[in-house]
Amino acid sequence: MARRKKIYEGKAKILYEGPEPGTYVQYFKDDATAYNAEKRATIDGKGVLNNRLSEFFMTGLAGIGVPTHFIKRLNMREQLIRAVEIIPLEVIVRNFAAGSMAKRLGMDEGTPLPRPIIEFSYKDDKLGDPLVPEEYIIAFGWASQQDLDDIVALALRVNDFLSGVMHGVGIQLVDFKIEVGRVWEGDFMRLIVADEISPDSCRLWDKETGRKLDKDVFRRDLGDLADAYTEVAKRLGVMPSNVTHQTKPTLIN
Ligand code: TMP
């Protein structure tokens, strides 16, 4: 049997050639990295949780008419997606100050922002994904002004959807990152949500206790990352509440 072709391997996912032209299989690894991969670990069950959570969010977005790359989940760690031409930007939406914004501006984490703020980082690991102004994006041809207008509209719709879903389960959506890709439909180009939406790419705080339920648990050594992601999955009904991230086999007598 021929081995399937690996298209790309990133820090948390692998892309394989899909069964039909224009499709890829996206495989979620258990690897976690932070600070531009200076900190690394393997976290049992993370890939399985992110595969399920990304499916949940992408399916919900499709339900309100936001186009995404997601086609269907194939198994515990893999999903079938549309192949897109990735725009080399991390599109970050912030509702409350945290992380790099809080640091850059000397703000307390959790300070509400006057409105959602969108920023762009140029996707380049060697450079540490630097923040870039729109002027750079257009001048260097990474996206046009029209693309940027469409990306902002898309990002704000994702923000409203995710904020609402999270609010419903007692979680505050502090900020998140999406990636956007181009697809061609005949002569027309469309921008769609790509990559993943999961606690790896969001900041999620419990509304009552402030407990962090996202990758900051790993970045800042705040406890068990898989426990935090499992809590998000349970609240959203993505995993039955009696399932834990325990991956050891159970012996059946
Ligand atoms: P930041 O505060 O570190 O700039 O991150 C803002 C949000 O974007 C946070 O939810 C984490 C997410 N993010 C990623 O998922 N990947 C990235 O490479 C970056 C820069 C941010």
Side-chain angles (χ1 to χ4, degrees):
M1 220 160 65
R3 194 186 251 291
R4 62 184 171 175
K5 191 171 158 202
K6 195 192 275 188
I7 305 286
Y8 173 80
E9 178 154 6
K11 287 175 285 206
K13 297 185 294 296
I14 306 174
L15 281 186
Y16 295 100
E17 203 170 61
E20 278 153 37
T23 64
Y24 289 151
V25 172
Q26 179 164 251
Y27 175 98
F28 287 77
K29 301 196 276 188
D30 279 343
D31 298 351
T33 63
Y35 309 114
N36 207 14
E38 275 170 37
K39 179 172 177 168
R40 293 165 180 273
T42 302
I43 297 179
D44 271 356
K46 180 174 89 84
V48 173
L49 285 157
N50 281 352
N51 186 25
R52 295 297 281 254
L53 284 163
S54 202
E55 171 191 20
F56 176 81
F57 296 126
M58 297 282 183
T59 308
L61 284 169
I64 59 160
V66 175
T68 83
H69 73 166
F70 181 81
I71 302 173
K72 65 173 181 181
R73 188 168 58 80
L74 297 171
N75 55 48
M76 296 284 274
R77 288 186 181 273
E78 294 178 328
Q79 47 185 242
L80 185 67
I81 58 168
R82 288 183 74 175
V84 302
E85 194 183 300
I86 278 282
I87 307 236
L89 297 172
E90 314 233 314
V91 181
I92 294 166
V93 183
R94 300 181 187 273
N95 298 305
F96 298 85
S100 67
M101 172 190 245
K103 200 168 166 196
R104 191 177 313 118
L105 301 180
M107 295 171 83
D108 288 336
E109 288 205 306
T111 308
L113 300 175
R115 61 177 176 81
I117 292 180
I118 299 184
E119 63 189 40
F120 303 99
S121 293
Y122 179 53
K123 264 171 70 69
D124 187 322
D125 285 342
K126 287 195 292 301
L127 300 174
D129 298 336
L131 193 65
V132 286
E134 289 194 17
E135 184 107 23
Y136 287 20
I137 297 170
I138 293 162
F140 295 126
W142 300 326
S144 67
Q145 183 63 62
Q146 179 63 57
D147 291 338
L148 281 181
D149 293 347
D150 292 348
I151 290 170
V152 166
L154 208 53
L156 288 175
R157 291 191 74 193
V158 175
N159 186 41
D160 282 348
F161 171 78
L162 284 183
S163 298
V165 168
M166 290 302 179
H167 177 76
V169 295
I171 294 173
Q172 185 179 14
L173 178 68
V174 174
D175 58 32
F176 65 95
K177 182 259 321 189
I178 54 169
E179 295 186 23
V180 174
R182 291 178 205 283
V183 286
W184 293 90
E185 286 158 6
D187 288 343
F188 294 94
M189 187 274 292
R190 258 212 316 173
L191 294 168
I192 68 175
V193 178
D195 191 52
E196 74 178 296
I197 300 178
S198 75
D200 266 10
S201 54
C202 300
R203 280 200 174 89
L204 305 170
W205 296 355
D206 180 81
K207 278 194 190 255
E208 293 224 325
T209 64
R211 178 184 167 200
K212 293 187 185 1
L213 298 169
D214 56 63
K215 208 165 96 175
D216 275 348
V217 171
F218 170 70
R219 293 187 192 98
R220 305 181 187 187
D221 294 320
L222 299 175
D224 186 321
L225 189 74
D227 273 354
Y229 288 20
T230 302
E231 177 65 23
V232 176
K234 276 187 195 165
R235 288 198 199 182
L236 293 170
V238 171
M239 292 272 195
S241 56
N242 58 349
V243 172
T244 67
H245 67 272
Q246 192 90 23
T247 52
K248 292 195 188 80
T250 310
L251 291 177
I252 299 167
N253 294 315

